Amino acid sequence: MTFLESIIKQFEKIAEILTLSKKIKKRIIEPENVLSFKIKIKKDSQELTSPAWRVQHNSLFGPYKGGIRFHPETDLEEVKALAMLMTFKCSLMGLPFGGGKGGVRINPKELSEKELEEVARSYVRKIFQSLGEDRDVPAPDMGTDEKIMTWMLDEYEKLIGDKSPATFTGKPIDKGGVILRKEATGLGGAIITEEIVKKMAWQPNKTRIAIQGFGNVGIYAALNLFERGFKIIALSDSLGGIFDPAGLNIKEAIDYKKALKYLKGFPGSQEITNQELLSLETDILIPAARENVITKNNAKKIKAKIIIELANGPITERGEKILLKNKKIIVPDILVNAGGVTVSYFEWCQNKENSSWSKERVSQELNKKMKNVFNEVWQMAQKEKIDLRTTAYLLATKRLVEKIKSYV
Ligand code: NAD
């Protein structure tokens, strides 16, 4: 089953519980617009052509919102799945956005800065008429960052002949970006982790955590959890992992990764593979790298009691069945990694109001939002005796359905 099929299946389950009509199901499943195009750039005196997409999934609550991914394996199915996930995420969080996502099948690590800039600018040239602060608001995702958002915004403003900073979020502060945006997804994941640990009545310094993925999201989750006193026993990137049962010093691991670009060989740690990290003896496992890493093949080896999905779609449908059967608690991606889009919303607001939010305000508002939605999902799951993913999707779907019905 593909990632998209598993999200649709998840939704079908909810649609059955809510006895939704075929028409409403179609309205929620099918993307409103799919833009498919090609990006051509010059690389080493040759022409490099890359397929690219923007999927505008659903605008019931407001402009389409979602990142743009530069990755060598991305495809239309994946972008559609991620766009649909954004629709549920924004609905669950009560944000005035719909779902969208973009992607370019390209390996950013193989491009020079100039070539990367050309990809970013070409992407905007192809679809600028479909973007806009009240129409479609992109952001960074895997392989893209604030520099890419700056090029994209610059190209967009040149094309429309006007200023429109709210059209892209995830910008640097001096270009209208919001404080804490870079940290937001990881920080949001840390807030959720702290909340669930409180529910379990565990002590942070005795709670062992293993994190897969040490990019934008994994780094800030690890750092915020480390600063809150949790014991991070393992980390990994695409080249492999590091393990120390006594707990890793995350600040030093960040410096090490910055200097060498990988984690392998971090002083005092043991080397482990990404598969070994997933099956470690730990209390919490945080997949923060990419989708489909926990499958029917490795789910039964997972020893962590709680899995906190910081990446999008890290557990396959069949993997999840095994985990739930083994009484694992899965905190779903649409809740855990919603800190990013929540702070993007703050950035969009401050650009529209032409203001600048303080760090305290961003941090307080993010804390409040993540905790409130987590507690709403947790309480309903306890009351209805259902898992957290089903609960989160139920809440998100109910809101979408109410909105659809309000138009009839
Ligand atoms: P990133 O590119 O900055 O980092 C990804 C990390 O995962 C890197 O450390 C990479 O080495 C590692 N990795 C890649 N493949 C791996 C594999 N097979 N095994 C182990 N590690 C692997 O990306 P990111 O922005 O940190 O995003 C990570 C995940 O979080 C993605 O699923 C993304 O969709 C999701 N997400 C990101 C944001 C955001 O604000 N950046 C928001 C919501 C969700």
Side-chain angles (χ1 to χ4, degrees):
M1 193 182 288
T2 65
F3 182 28
L4 178 61
E5 284 164 348
S6 73
I7 295 172
I8 294 175
K9 192 155 181 209
Q10 177 65 42
F11 168 69
E12 297 274 9
K13 196 167 106 186
I14 305 301
E16 212 179 302
I17 300 173
L18 296 175
T19 58
L20 299 183
S21 68
K22 262 193 185 154
K23 202 171 153 199
I24 288 187
K25 280 202 306 196
K26 195 166 169 232
R27 178 75 183 86
I28 295 178
I29 291 174
E30 284 190 5
E32 290 172 12
N33 299 306
V34 176
L35 310 170
S36 297
F37 46 99
K38 287 199 163 59
I39 287 179
K40 292 182 183 168
I41 62 156
K42 278 251 169 337
K43 179 165 172 54
D44 308 328
S45 72
Q46 284 186 340
E47 197 173 69
L48 178 73
T49 306
S50 303
W53 307 273
R54 182 77 185 163
V55 174
Q56 298 177 323
H57 182 258
N58 192 298
S59 60
L60 281 165
F61 285 118
Y64 308 106
K65 185 84 194 82
I68 299 171
R69 172 174 289 200
F70 286 2
H71 195 276
E73 283 156 29
T74 195
D75 58 21
L76 180 56
E77 278 260 312
E78 180 184 69
V79 179
K80 276 186 183 170
L82 292 164
M84 190 168 174
L85 215 53
M86 284 302 290
T87 296
F88 290 113
K89 199 179 295 182
C90 293
S91 176
L92 176 68
M93 298 307 288
L95 301 173
F97 289 136
K101 203 79 184 187
V104 183
R105 193 186 301 149
I106 204 155
N107 189 348
K109 289 182 188 154
E110 287 172 359
L111 299 185
S112 67
E113 182 159 304
K114 209 165 163 280
E115 289 158 354
L116 209 52
E117 178 173 352
E118 195 38 40
V119 174
R121 290 185 183 275
S122 302
Y123 188 93
V124 172
R125 281 198 294 274
K126 292 280 181 177
I127 60 160
F128 77 98
Q129 281 154 327
S130 304
L131 302 177
E133 59 181 45
D134 294 314
R135 191 154 185 202
D136 185 351
V137 183
D141 191 67
M142 277 174 88
T144 54
D145 58 12
E146 55 179 37
K147 199 188 267 177
I148 291 178
M149 292 305 111
T150 307
W151 292 325
M152 287 189 165
L153 174 62
D154 182 62
E155 192 66 26
Y156 180 73
E157 290 182 333
K158 268 189 207 153
L159 288 160
I160 63 161
D162 203 355
K163 290 276 167 218
S164 184
T167 301
F168 291 84
T169 61
K171 306 177 293 290
I173 310 279
D174 64 344
K175 296 278 188 275
V178 72
I179 285 176
L180 289 180
R181 171 59 187 91
K182 225 162 100 183
E183 295 89 330
T185 308
L187 172 58
I191 296 168
I192 299 280
T193 307
E194 200 172 37
E195 283 304 288
I196 197 161
V197 165
K198 275 191 218 154
K199 303 279 181 212
M200 308 302 288
W202 292 350
Q203 283 175 355
N205 62 353
K206 293 201 178 123
T207 304
R208 297 161 301 170
I209 302 181
I211 305 178
Q212 184 193 52
F214 207 53
N216 175 274
V217 171
I219 285 178
Y220 288 110
L223 183 61
N224 279 285
L225 288 165
F226 179 68
E227 286 173 346
R228 284 158 205 243
F230 287 91
K231 201 164 155 186
I232 319 287
I233 58 164
L235 296 171
S236 71
D237 56 28
S238 55
L239 297 181
I242 56 171
F243 169 59
D244 182 349
L248 295 155
N249 183 318
I250 300 301
K251 288 187 177 152
E252 287 173 11
I254 293 173
D255 290 342
Y256 183 86
K257 167 96 183 170
K258 259 191 200 146
L260 278 94
K261 309 272 180 249
Y262 53 80
L263 285 163
K264 237 163 75 172
F266 179 65
S269 70
Q270 297 169 36
E271 236 173 71
I272 52 168
T273 65
N274 262 296
Q275 281 308 317
E276 284 165 344
L277 180 139
L278 295 175
S279 54
L280 275 179
E281 194 68 63
T282 182
D283 302 300
I284 296 181
L285 173 64
I286 306 187
R290 53 168 311 145
E291 57 273 5
N292 295 344
V293 292
I294 302 177
T295 65
K296 66 175 173 29
N297 300 324
N298 58 8
K300 49 189 165 307
K301 293 187 193 144
I302 287 176
K303 299 185 190 74
K305 171 78 186 156
I306 301 175
I307 299 120
I308 296 187
E309 290 188 327
L310 202 44
N312 279 314
I315 307 176
T316 65
E317 201 240 345
R318 288 168 81 181
E320 175 162 77
K321 268 197 185 138
I322 298 170
L323 293 173
L324 292 177
K325 200 170 139 233
N326 291 345
K327 304 265 180 290
K328 306 294 184 192
I329 300 173
I330 302 168
V331 197
D333 48 8
I334 58 167
L335 168 61
V336 177
N337 67 32
V341 68
T342 303
V343 174
S344 275
Y345 167 61
F346 302 158
E347 180 173 343
W348 183 76
C349 289
Q350 73 165 26
N351 292 155
K352 288 190 86 125
E353 305 161 355
N354 200 15
S355 68
S356 178
W357 286 32
S358 68
K359 190 172 174 181
E360 290 67 36
R361 183 173 174 196
V362 173
S363 168
Q364 270 173 20
E365 296 280 338
L366 177 67
N367 248 288
K368 199 165 77 186
K369 192 81 174 160
M370 297 303 294
K371 285 182 181 171
N372 284 350
V373 181
F374 172 78
N375 280 295
E376 190 183 3
V377 172
W378 180 266
Q379 278 155 18
M380 184 172 160
Q382 299 284 305
K383 193 169 153 239
E384 305 290 337
K385 299 197 174 17
I386 46 177
D387 63 275
L388 295 172
R389 190 189 312 280
T390 306
T391 313
Y393 271 86
L394 258 175
L395 283 169
T397 306
K398 274 185 185 169
R399 286 181 193 144
L400 286 162
V401 173
E402 272 164 30
K403 191 77 181 170
I404 294 170
K405 288 188 174 163
S406 75
Y407 287 130
V408 181

